[in-house]
Amino acid sequence: MADRHPTLSQAFAERAKTASHPLSRYLLRLMDVKASNLCLSADVTTARDLLALADKVGPSIVVLKTHYDLIAGWDYNPQTGTGARLAALARKHGFLIFEDRKFVDIGKTVQMQYTAGTARIVDWAHITNANIDAGKDMVRAMAEAAAKWKARINYGVRTSVTVGTPESDRFDDEGGNGNGNGNGNGNGNGDGEGRKGSIVSVTTVTQSFEPADPPRPHTTDARGGAPEVVFADMEEAPMDRGLLLLAQMSTTGCLMTAAYTQACVEAARENRDFVMGYVAQECLNTAADDTFVHMTPGCKLPPAGEEEHGPLEGDGLGQQYNTPDRLIGVLGTDIVIVGRGIIAADDPPSEAERYRRKAWKAYLARLE
């Protein structure tokens, strides 16, 4: 970092007051309440393992990062499927869901990938991300799709159905003497035919959109059972959706140039109502009014009790690692993303707590 941006000296609770995105404001407050700036990259391979891991580690994290297309047995049912059950766990433990989709395509395509198809990511993931190699207009297209989704979710459809046999305004028996036989046949014998008009049964269906406040689609658990448990220390997350721009990566030989990263910064500033921050290797806030949140992968701790300074060995597949002290204290990220360091541990909940404590300590030291 060339210069220390003011956000690096501010507590998360203070930054929440001025953040431009509603979801950023919520996330920063959540981080303060839970004393956590930890994201778990839940790269497991089955829906059962994903849900079990989210439930066990949920108390220690503020963000759960998913790759839904890695998951065997993903249930796409929008009310009771895997996404809905993850959303219920997020409400239970107080964390946000980040689907690491890395969208990159023309605007119309990413709109459909985000809001439609089998997974309907926008329904259950608070946050997603994008690689803007396709151009900054792709970000605007996704923002429009998210805004339309929110407008629909904030309204309920009221359906009214009426069934009946309407009375005719006039019977065609004028001119006759109306000498019916009294049994309801209405057979006139005058000058006219004396025949009633045809009467049919009519069903009318009308639909209208009415405000649904608060816009909470799930009031029971995802399997239709008892009312779900909701994290008690904060209100539920807003229905706004947020985008992280993939500005930098932690892999050896990454082709994301400085010009590409700068384009991400420009796109973020042009779409503050939708872009909440970056996936990056350093703080990219430089302008006075930049309030973006930063999340960084490649965080690793040596085994407990071993020295935490000095270079960390990579994974042999290009991934490079840094400690929370370096990522948060030196490079200026806000949230560290940890995957295998927690998932592969003998006791993932305990290891998640170790990472949470270390990352939070690094954040507190940054404020001094």
Side-chain angles (χ1 to χ4, degrees):
M1 294 180 297
D3 298 308
R4 186 176 175 86
H5 192 267
T7 54
L8 298 179
S9 302
Q10 286 182 304
F12 292 142
E14 287 300 311
R15 288 175 59 184
K17 298 175 182 177
T18 58
S20 58
H21 195 292
L23 205 56
S24 295
R25 294 195 291 270
Y26 180 87
L27 176 57
L28 288 163
R29 289 173 50 226
L30 181 65
M31 292 157 70
D32 180 67
V33 167
K34 294 187 74 172
S36 174
N37 50 346
L38 175 63
C39 169
L40 173 67
S41 182
D43 295 333
V44 292
T45 58
T46 70
R48 176 180 294 181
D49 288 344
L50 174 63
L51 294 169
L53 182 66
D55 200 14
K56 291 176 181 177
V57 179
S60 298
I61 64 175
V62 288
V63 178
L64 179 79
K65 186 170 78 73
T66 59
H67 287 285
Y68 87 88
D69 51 351
L70 294 181
I71 305 299
W74 185 281
D75 184 343
Y76 293 103
N77 186 296
Q79 279 77 44
T80 61
T82 307
R85 294 178 67 182
L86 274 180
L89 290 172
R91 287 189 289 273
K92 174 183 177 182
H93 294 299
F95 60 80
L96 299 182
I97 303 169
F98 164 24
E99 167 55 27
D100 189 4
R101 181 60 177 79
K102 298 183 180 71
F103 288 98
V104 54
D105 214 314
I106 63 170
K108 187 62 177 177
T109 297
V110 296
Q111 284 181 334
M112 293 188 292
Q113 290 173 327
Y114 186 31
T115 64
T118 53
R120 295 187 60 88
I121 293 168
V122 72
D123 282 349
W124 50 269
H126 306 91
I127 305 167
T128 190
N129 62 349
N131 176 328
I132 67 165
D133 274 334
K136 292 190 290 185
D137 282 345
M138 184 192 74
V139 178
R140 179 170 57 83
M142 291 187 67
E144 291 176 359
K148 289 179 181 178
W149 172 85
K150 185 185 175 186
R152 289 197 304 269
I153 207 70
N154 277 338
Y155 284 82
V157 180
R158 180 176 181 178
T159 304
S160 175
V161 180
T162 58
V163 180
T165 304
E167 294 183 0
S168 175
D169 291 337
R170 174 178 178 273
F171 286 99
D172 291 331
D173 59 356
E174 295 178 5
N177 61 15
N179 292 329
N181 60 13
N183 61 8
N185 293 331
N187 295 323
N189 56 8
D191 296 335
E193 290 294 327
R195 186 178 64 227
K196 286 186 178 181
S198 299
I199 301 175
V200 296
S201 177
V202 177
T203 301
T204 303
V205 180
T206 59
Q207 289 187 326
S208 61
F209 289 90
E210 296 184 355
D213 187 28
R216 293 293 181 261
H218 305 291
T219 56
T220 60
D221 70 25
R223 286 160 291 183
E228 65 185 16
V229 177
V230 178
F231 184 65
D233 294 336
M234 281 186 64
E235 75 280 8
E236 293 185 49
M239 294 302 291
D240 302 80
R241 292 307 188 232
L243 183 70
L244 298 173
L245 297 183
L246 184 60
Q248 298 168 329
M249 292 186 70
S250 57
T251 51
T252 303
C254 175
L255 300 179
M256 292 179 174
T257 64
Y260 167 85
T261 300
Q262 182 57 35
C264 288
V265 172
E266 294 169 3
R269 291 171 178 166
E270 292 166 8
N271 297 274
R272 292 177 187 270
D273 290 342
F274 184 49
V275 178
M276 59 186 293
Y278 309 99
V279 174
Q281 293 297 298
E282 61 185 337
C283 177
L284 299 177
N285 288 340
T286 54
D289 59 347
D290 283 348
T291 59
F292 299 107
V293 174
H294 296 72
M295 302 189 194
T296 303
C299 179
K300 186 176 181 181
L301 286 172
E306 295 186 13
E307 181 62 47
E308 296 180 12
H309 302 289
L312 293 171
E313 199 174 314
D315 69 350
L317 297 174
Q319 175 66 291
Q320 301 178 96
Y321 291 111
N322 280 298
T323 63
D325 282 343
R326 176 167 172 75
L327 291 175
I328 296 167
V330 178
L331 299 176
T333 194
D334 298 309
I335 296 174
V336 293
I337 301 173
V338 183
R340 285 167 283 184
I342 293 174
I343 295 171
D346 293 336
D347 186 354
S350 295
E351 191 67 357
E353 267 298 290
R354 186 168 81 101
Y355 272 91
R356 182 198 64 78
R357 290 192 299 269
K358 294 291 187 180
W360 192 252
K361 182 179 179 181
Y363 153 70
L364 294 177
R366 189 175 79 186
L367 299 180
E368 297 176 354

